[in-house]
Amino acid sequence: MSPGQHVRVTKRFLFEMAHALRCHDGLCAHIHGHSYVLDVTLVGKPRQEGDHPKDGMVIDFSDLKKL
């Protein structure tokens, strides 16, 4: 990779969520759940600091999770 080139970093989050629709006359009136997938993609230039522990990274995945 040449210096200054942009890189894409994607983190996939999987989560479950439950809900019910109040006053609904169908099956959704009862509590039920869904599975979701959320892909977050960041585009940036990797850090160019040879002495830094995150050299070469666009973002640390632990920092992305916090966001």
Side-chain angles (χ1 to χ4, degrees):
M1 171 176 31
S2 51
Q5 186 175 353
H6 284 85
V7 174
R8 291 177 189 266
V9 177
T10 300
K11 173 69 178 156
R12 175 167 283 178
F13 297 90
L14 307 171
F15 58 97
E16 309 294 322
M17 187 169 58
H19 69 147
L21 300 178
R22 255 179 72 202
C23 302
H24 183 69
D25 62 354
L27 292 175
C28 289
H30 306 288
I31 193 154
H32 64 285
H34 301 275
S35 299
Y36 293 90
V37 176
L38 172 66
D39 290 329
V40 177
T41 300
L42 302 173
V43 178
K45 294 180 183 177
R47 179 178 238 140
Q48 299 292 317
E49 299 174 50
D51 59 340
H52 195 282
K54 295 183 181 178
D55 178 52
M57 292 184 182
V58 173
I59 189 169
D60 189 311
F61 278 137
S62 64
D63 296 332
L64 179 57
K65 285 182 181 179
K66 291 175 190 174
L67 295 174

Coordinates of all heavy atoms in Angstrom, one line a residue:
M1 N 0.9 -1.2 0.0 CA 0.0 0.0 0.0 C 0.9 1.2 0.0 O 1.8 1.3 0.8 CB -0.9 0.0 1.2 CG -1.6 1.2 1.5 SD -2.8 1.1 2.9 CE -2.0 0.0 4.0
S2 N 0.6 2.2 -0.8 CA 1.4 3.4 -0.9 C 0.9 4.4 0.2 O -0.2 4.4 0.6 CB 1.2 4.0 -2.3 OG -0.1 4.2 -2.6
P3 N 1.9 5.2 0.7 CA 1.6 6.1 1.8 C 0.4 7.0 1.4 O 0.3 7.5 0.2 CB 2.9 6.9 2.0 CG 3.9 6.0 1.4 CD 3.3 5.2 0.3
G4 N -0.5 7.3 2.3 CA -1.6 8.2 2.1 C -2.8 7.5 1.4 O -3.8 8.2 1.2
Q5 N -2.7 6.3 1.1 CA -3.8 5.5 0.5 C -4.9 5.3 1.5 O -4.6 4.9 2.7 CB -3.3 4.2 -0.1 CG -4.4 3.5 -0.9 CD -3.8 2.2 -1.6 OE1 -2.6 2.0 -1.6 NE2 -4.7 1.4 -2.1
H6 N -6.1 5.4 1.1 CA -7.3 5.2 2.0 C -7.5 3.7 2.1 O -7.4 2.9 1.2 CB -8.5 5.9 1.5 CG -8.5 7.3 1.8 ND1 -7.9 8.2 1.0 CD2 -9.0 8.1 2.8 CE1 -8.0 9.5 1.5 NE2 -8.7 9.4 2.6
V7 N -8.0 3.3 3.3 CA -8.3 1.9 3.6 C -9.7 1.8 4.2 O -10.1 2.7 4.9 CB -7.2 1.3 4.6 CG1 -7.6 -0.1 5.0 CG2 -5.9 1.3 4.0
R8 N -10.4 0.8 3.9 CA -11.7 0.5 4.4 C -11.6 -0.5 5.6 O -11.0 -1.5 5.4 CB -12.7 0.0 3.4 CG -13.1 0.9 2.4 CD -14.0 0.3 1.3 NE -14.2 1.1 0.2 CZ -15.2 2.0 0.1 NH1 -16.1 2.0 1.0 NH2 -15.3 2.7 -1.0
V9 N -12.2 -0.2 6.7 CA -12.2 -1.1 7.8 C -13.7 -1.3 8.2 O -14.5 -0.4 8.4 CB -11.5 -0.5 9.1 CG1 -11.6 -1.4 10.3 CG2 -10.1 -0.2 8.7
T10 N -14.1 -2.6 8.2 CA -15.5 -2.9 8.5 C -15.6 -3.8 9.8 O -14.8 -4.7 9.9 CB -16.2 -3.7 7.4 OG1 -16.1 -2.8 6.2 CG2 -17.6 -4.0 7.7
K11 N -16.5 -3.4 10.7 CA -16.8 -4.2 11.9 C -18.2 -4.6 11.8 O -19.1 -3.8 11.6 CB -16.5 -3.4 13.1 CG -16.9 -4.0 14.4 CD -16.0 -5.2 14.8 CE -16.4 -5.8 16.1 NZ -16.1 -7.2 16.3
R12 N -18.5 -5.9 12.0 CA -19.9 -6.4 12.0 C -20.3 -6.6 13.4 O -19.7 -7.3 14.2 CB -19.9 -7.7 11.2 CG -21.3 -8.4 11.3 CD -21.4 -9.5 10.3 NE -21.6 -8.8 9.0 CZ -21.7 -9.5 7.8 NH1 -21.7 -10.8 7.8 NH2 -21.9 -8.8 6.7
F13 N -21.5 -6.1 13.7 CA -22.1 -6.2 15.0 C -23.4 -7.1 14.8 O -24.2 -6.8 13.9 CB -22.5 -4.9 15.6 CG -21.4 -4.0 15.9 CD1 -20.9 -3.1 14.9 CD2 -20.7 -4.0 17.1 CE1 -19.8 -2.3 15.2 CE2 -19.6 -3.2 17.4 CZ -19.2 -2.3 16.4
L14 N -23.6 -8.1 15.7 CA -24.8 -8.9 15.7 C -25.5 -8.7 17.0 O -24.9 -8.7 18.0 CB -24.4 -10.4 15.5 CG -23.5 -10.8 14.4 CD1 -23.0 -12.2 14.5 CD2 -24.2 -10.6 13.0
F15 N -26.8 -8.5 16.9 CA -27.5 -8.3 18.1 C -29.0 -8.7 18.0 O -29.5 -8.9 16.9 CB -27.5 -6.8 18.6 CG -28.0 -5.8 17.7 CD1 -29.3 -5.3 17.8 CD2 -27.2 -5.3 16.7 CE1 -29.7 -4.4 16.9 CE2 -27.6 -4.4 15.8 CZ -28.9 -3.9 15.9
E16 N -29.6 -9.0 19.1 CA -31.0 -9.4 19.2 C -31.8 -8.3 19.8 O -31.3 -7.6 20.7 CB -31.1 -10.7 20.0 CG -30.2 -11.8 19.6 CD -30.4 -12.4 18.3 OE1 -31.6 -12.5 17.9 OE2 -29.4 -12.7 17.6
M17 N -33.1 -8.2 19.4 CA -33.9 -7.2 20.0 C -35.4 -7.8 20.0 O -35.8 -8.5 19.1 CB -33.9 -6.0 19.2 CG -34.6 -4.8 19.8 SD -34.3 -3.2 19.0 CE -34.8 -3.5 17.3
A18 N -36.1 -7.5 21.1 CA -37.4 -8.0 21.3 C -38.4 -6.8 21.4 O -38.0 -5.7 21.9 CB -37.6 -8.9 22.5
H19 N -39.6 -7.0 21.0 CA -40.6 -5.9 21.1 C -42.0 -6.6 20.9 O -42.2 -7.7 20.5 CB -40.4 -4.8 20.1 CG -40.7 -5.2 18.7 ND1 -41.1 -4.4 17.8 CD2 -40.5 -6.4 18.0 CE1 -41.3 -5.0 16.6 NE2 -40.9 -6.2 16.7
A20 N -43.0 -5.8 21.2 CA -44.4 -6.1 21.0 C -45.1 -4.9 20.5 O -44.7 -3.8 20.9 CB -45.1 -6.7 22.2
L21 N -46.1 -5.0 19.7 CA -46.9 -3.9 19.2 C -48.2 -3.8 20.0 O -49.1 -4.6 19.8 CB -47.2 -4.0 17.7 CG -45.9 -4.1 16.8 CD1 -46.4 -4.3 15.3 CD2 -45.1 -2.9 16.9
R22 N -48.2 -2.8 20.9 CA -49.4 -2.6 21.7 C -50.6 -2.3 20.8 O -50.6 -1.6 19.8 CB -49.2 -1.4 22.6 CG -48.9 -1.8 24.0 CD -48.7 -0.6 24.9 NE -49.9 0.2 25.1 CZ -49.9 1.4 25.5 NH1 -48.8 2.1 25.6 NH2 -51.1 2.0 25.7
C23 N -51.7 -2.9 21.2 CA -53.0 -2.7 20.6 C -53.1 -3.2 19.1 O -53.9 -2.8 18.4 CB -53.4 -1.2 20.6 SG -53.5 -0.5 22.2
H24 N -52.1 -4.1 18.8 CA -52.1 -4.7 17.4 C -53.0 -5.9 17.5 O -53.0 -6.6 18.5 CB -50.7 -5.0 17.0 CG -50.6 -5.6 15.7 ND1 -50.8 -4.8 14.5 CD2 -50.3 -6.8 15.2 CE1 -50.6 -5.6 13.5 NE2 -50.3 -6.8 13.9
D25 N -53.7 -6.2 16.4 CA -54.7 -7.4 16.5 C -54.0 -8.6 15.8 O -54.7 -9.6 15.6 CB -56.0 -7.0 15.8 CG -55.8 -6.7 14.3 OD1 -54.6 -6.6 13.8 OD2 -56.8 -6.5 13.6
G26 N -52.7 -8.6 15.6 CA -52.1 -9.8 15.0 C -51.0 -10.4 15.9 O -51.0 -10.0 17.1
L27 N -50.2 -11.3 15.3 CA -49.2 -11.9 16.1 C -48.2 -11.0 16.8 O -47.6 -11.3 17.8 CB -48.5 -13.0 15.3 CG -49.3 -14.2 14.8 CD1 -48.5 -15.0 13.9 CD2 -49.8 -15.0 16.0
C28 N -48.0 -9.8 16.2 CA -47.0 -8.9 16.7 C -47.4 -8.3 18.0 O -46.6 -7.5 18.6 CB -46.6 -7.8 15.6 SG -45.7 -8.5 14.2
A29 N -48.6 -8.5 18.4 CA -49.1 -8.0 19.7 C -48.3 -8.7 20.9 O -48.2 -8.2 22.0 CB -50.6 -8.2 19.9
H30 N -47.8 -9.9 20.6 CA -47.1 -10.7 21.6 C -45.6 -10.4 21.5 O -45.1 -10.2 20.4 CB -47.4 -12.2 21.4 CG -48.8 -12.5 21.4 ND1 -49.6 -12.5 22.5 CD2 -49.6 -12.9 20.4 CE1 -50.8 -12.9 22.2 NE2 -50.9 -13.1 20.9
I31 N -44.9 -10.5 22.6 CA -43.5 -10.2 22.6 C -42.8 -11.2 21.7 O -43.1 -12.4 21.7 CB -42.9 -10.1 24.0 CG1 -41.5 -9.5 23.9 CG2 -42.9 -11.5 24.7 CD1 -41.0 -8.9 25.2
H32 N -41.9 -10.7 20.8 CA -41.2 -11.6 19.9 C -39.9 -10.8 19.6 O -39.7 -9.7 19.9 CB -42.0 -11.9 18.6 CG -42.3 -10.6 17.8 ND1 -43.3 -9.7 18.2 CD2 -41.8 -10.2 16.7 CE1 -43.3 -8.7 17.3 NE2 -42.4 -9.0 16.4
G33 N -39.0 -11.5 19.0 CA -37.7 -10.9 18.7 C -37.2 -11.0 17.3 O -37.8 -11.8 16.5
H34 N -36.2 -10.3 17.0 CA -35.6 -10.3 15.7 C -34.1 -10.3 15.9 O -33.5 -9.8 16.8 CB -35.9 -9.0 14.9 CG -37.4 -8.9 14.7 ND1 -38.1 -9.5 13.6 CD2 -38.4 -8.2 15.4 CE1 -39.4 -9.2 13.7 NE2 -39.6 -8.4 14.7
S35 N -33.4 -10.9 14.9 CA -31.9 -10.8 14.8 C -31.5 -9.8 13.8 O -32.1 -9.6 12.8 CB -31.3 -12.2 14.4 OG -31.7 -13.2 15.3
Y36 N -30.5 -9.0 14.2 CA -30.0 -7.9 13.4 C -28.5 -8.0 13.1 O -27.8 -8.5 13.9 CB -30.3 -6.5 14.0 CG -31.7 -6.2 14.1 CD1 -32.5 -6.6 15.2 CD2 -32.4 -5.6 13.1 CE1 -33.8 -6.3 15.3 CE2 -33.7 -5.3 13.1 CZ -34.5 -5.6 14.3 OH -35.8 -5.3 14.3
V37 N -28.1 -7.5 12.0 CA -26.7 -7.4 11.6 C -26.5 -6.0 11.2 O -27.2 -5.4 10.4 CB -26.3 -8.3 10.4 CG1 -24.9 -8.1 10.0 CG2 -26.6 -9.8 10.7
L38 N -25.4 -5.4 11.8 CA -25.1 -4.0 11.5 C -23.6 -4.0 11.1 O -22.7 -4.4 11.9 CB -25.3 -3.1 12.8 CG -24.7 -1.7 12.6 CD1 -25.5 -0.9 11.6 CD2 -24.8 -1.0 14.0
D39 N -23.3 -3.6 9.9 CA -22.0 -3.4 9.4 C -21.6 -1.9 9.4 O -22.3 -1.1 8.8 CB -21.8 -3.9 8.0 CG -21.9 -5.5 7.9 OD1 -21.5 -6.1 8.8 OD2 -22.4 -6.0 6.8
V40 N -20.5 -1.6 10.1 CA -20.0 -0.2 10.2 C -18.7 -0.2 9.4 O -17.8 -0.9 9.7 CB -19.8 0.2 11.6 CG1 -19.2 1.6 11.7 CG2 -21.1 0.2 12.4
T41 N -18.6 0.6 8.4 CA -17.4 0.7 7.6 C -16.9 2.1 7.7 O -17.6 3.1 7.5 CB -17.7 0.4 6.1 OG1 -18.2 -0.9 6.0 CG2 -16.4 0.5 5.2
L42 N -15.6 2.2 8.0 CA -14.9 3.5 8.1 C -13.8 3.5 7.0 O -13.2 2.5 6.7 CB -14.2 3.6 9.4 CG -15.0 3.5 10.7 CD1 -14.2 3.5 11.9 CD2 -16.0 4.7 10.7
V43 N -13.6 4.7 6.4 CA -12.6 4.9 5.4 C -11.6 5.9 6.0 O -12.0 7.0 6.4 CB -13.2 5.3 4.1 CG1 -12.1 5.6 3.1 CG2 -14.3 4.4 3.6
G44 N -10.4 5.6 5.9 CA -9.4 6.5 6.4 C -8.0 6.1 6.0 O -7.7 5.1 5.4
K45 N -7.1 7.0 6.3 CA -5.6 6.7 6.1 C -5.0 6.1 7.3 O -5.2 6.6 8.4 CB -4.9 8.0 5.7 CG -5.4 8.7 4.4 CD -4.6 9.9 4.2 CE -5.2 10.6 2.9 NZ -4.5 11.9 2.6
P46 N -4.3 5.0 7.1 CA -3.7 4.4 8.3 C -2.7 5.3 9.0 O -2.0 6.1 8.3 CB -3.0 3.1 7.7 CG -3.7 2.9 6.4 CD -4.1 4.2 5.9
R47 N -2.6 5.2 10.3 CA -1.6 6.0 11.0 C -0.2 5.6 10.5 O 0.1 4.5 10.3 CB -1.8 5.6 12.5 CG -0.9 6.3 13.4 CD -1.2 5.9 14.9 NE -1.5 7.1 15.6 CZ -2.4 7.2 16.5 NH1 -3.2 6.2 16.8 NH2 -2.6 8.4 17.1
Q48 N 0.6 6.7 10.4 CA 2.0 6.5 9.9 C 2.9 7.0 11.0 O 3.6 8.0 10.8 CB 2.2 7.3 8.6 CG 1.3 6.9 7.4 CD 1.7 5.5 6.9 OE1 2.9 5.2 6.8 NE2 0.7 4.7 6.6
E49 N 3.0 6.3 12.1 CA 3.8 6.6 13.2 C 4.5 5.3 13.6 O 4.0 4.6 14.5 CB 3.1 7.2 14.4 CG 2.3 8.5 14.0 CD 1.5 9.0 15.1 OE1 1.9 9.0 16.3 OE2 0.3 9.3 14.8
G50 N 5.7 5.0 13.1 CA 6.4 3.8 13.3 C 6.6 3.4 14.8 O 6.6 2.2 15.1
D51 N 6.7 4.4 15.7 CA 6.9 4.1 17.1 C 5.6 4.0 17.9 O 5.7 3.7 19.1 CB 7.9 5.1 17.7 CG 7.3 6.5 17.6 OD1 6.4 6.8 16.8 OD2 7.8 7.4 18.4
H52 N 4.5 4.2 17.3 CA 3.2 4.2 17.9 C 2.6 2.7 17.9 O 2.7 2.1 16.9 CB 2.2 5.1 17.3 CG 1.0 5.4 18.2 ND1 0.0 4.6 18.3 CD2 0.7 6.5 18.9 CE1 -0.9 5.1 19.1 NE2 -0.5 6.2 19.5
P53 N 2.1 2.2 19.0 CA 1.5 0.9 19.0 C 0.4 0.6 18.0 O 0.1 -0.5 17.6 CB 1.1 0.6 20.4 CG 1.0 2.0 21.0 CD 1.9 2.9 20.3
K54 N -0.2 1.7 17.5 CA -1.3 1.6 16.6 C -0.9 2.0 15.2 O -1.8 2.3 14.3 CB -2.6 2.4 17.1 CG -3.1 1.8 18.4 CD -4.4 2.5 18.8 CE -4.8 1.9 20.1 NZ -6.0 2.5 20.7
D55 N 0.4 2.0 14.9 CA 0.9 2.3 13.6 C 0.3 1.4 12.6 O 0.2 0.2 12.8 CB 2.4 2.1 13.6 CG 3.0 2.4 12.2 OD1 2.7 3.5 11.6 OD2 3.7 1.5 11.7
G56 N -0.2 1.9 11.4 CA -0.7 1.1 10.4 C -2.2 0.9 10.5 O -2.9 0.3 9.6
M57 N -2.8 1.4 11.6 CA -4.3 1.2 11.8 C -5.1 2.4 11.4 O -4.6 3.5 11.6 CB -4.6 0.9 13.3 CG -4.1 -0.4 13.9 SD -4.7 -0.5 15.6 CE -3.9 -2.0 16.1
V58 N -6.2 2.2 10.9 CA -7.2 3.3 10.7 C -7.9 3.6 12.0 O -8.0 4.7 12.4 CB -8.2 2.9 9.6 CG1 -9.3 4.0 9.5 CG2 -7.5 2.7 8.3
I59 N -8.3 2.5 12.7 CA -8.9 2.6 14.0 C -8.8 1.3 14.7 O -8.8 0.3 14.1 CB -10.4 3.0 13.9 CG1 -11.0 3.4 15.3 CG2 -11.2 1.9 13.2 CD1 -12.4 4.0 15.3
D60 N -8.6 1.4 16.0 CA -8.6 0.1 16.8 C -10.0 -0.3 17.0 O -10.9 0.5 17.3 CB -8.0 0.5 18.2 CG -7.7 -0.7 19.0 OD1 -8.6 -1.6 19.2 OD2 -6.6 -0.8 19.6
F61 N -10.3 -1.6 16.8 CA -11.6 -2.2 16.9 C -12.2 -1.9 18.3 O -13.4 -1.7 18.4 CB -11.7 -3.7 16.6 CG -11.7 -4.0 15.2 CD1 -11.0 -5.0 14.6 CD2 -12.5 -3.3 14.3 CE1 -11.0 -5.3 13.3 CE2 -12.6 -3.6 12.9 CZ -11.8 -4.6 12.4
S62 N -11.4 -1.9 19.4 CA -12.0 -1.6 20.7 C -12.5 -0.2 20.8 O -13.5 0.1 21.4 CB -10.9 -1.9 21.8 OG -9.8 -1.0 21.7
D63 N -11.9 0.8 20.1 CA -12.4 2.2 20.0 C -13.6 2.2 19.2 O -14.6 3.0 19.5 CB -11.3 3.1 19.4 CG -10.1 3.2 20.3 OD1 -10.2 3.0 21.5 OD2 -9.0 3.5 19.7
L64 N -13.7 1.5 18.1 CA -14.9 1.4 17.3 C -16.1 0.9 18.1 O -17.2 1.4 18.0 CB -14.7 0.6 16.0 CG -15.8 0.4 15.1 CD1 -16.3 1.8 14.6 CD2 -15.4 -0.5 13.9
K65 N -15.9 -0.1 18.9 CA -17.0 -0.7 19.7 C -17.5 0.3 20.7 O -18.7 0.4 20.9 CB -16.5 -1.9 20.5 CG -16.3 -3.2 19.7 CD -15.9 -4.3 20.6 CE -15.6 -5.6 19.8 NZ -15.2 -6.6 20.7
K66 N -16.6 1.2 21.2 CA -17.1 2.2 22.2 C -18.0 3.2 21.5 O -18.9 3.8 22.2 CB -15.9 2.9 22.8 CG -15.0 2.0 23.7 CD -13.8 2.8 24.2 CE -12.9 1.9 24.9 NZ -11.6 2.6 25.2
L67 N -17.7 3.5 20.3 CA -18.5 4.5 19.5 C -19.9 4.0 19.3 O -20.9 4.7 19.3 CB -17.9 4.8 18.2 CG -16.6 5.5 18.2 CD1 -16.0 5.6 16.8 CD2 -16.7 6.9 18.8

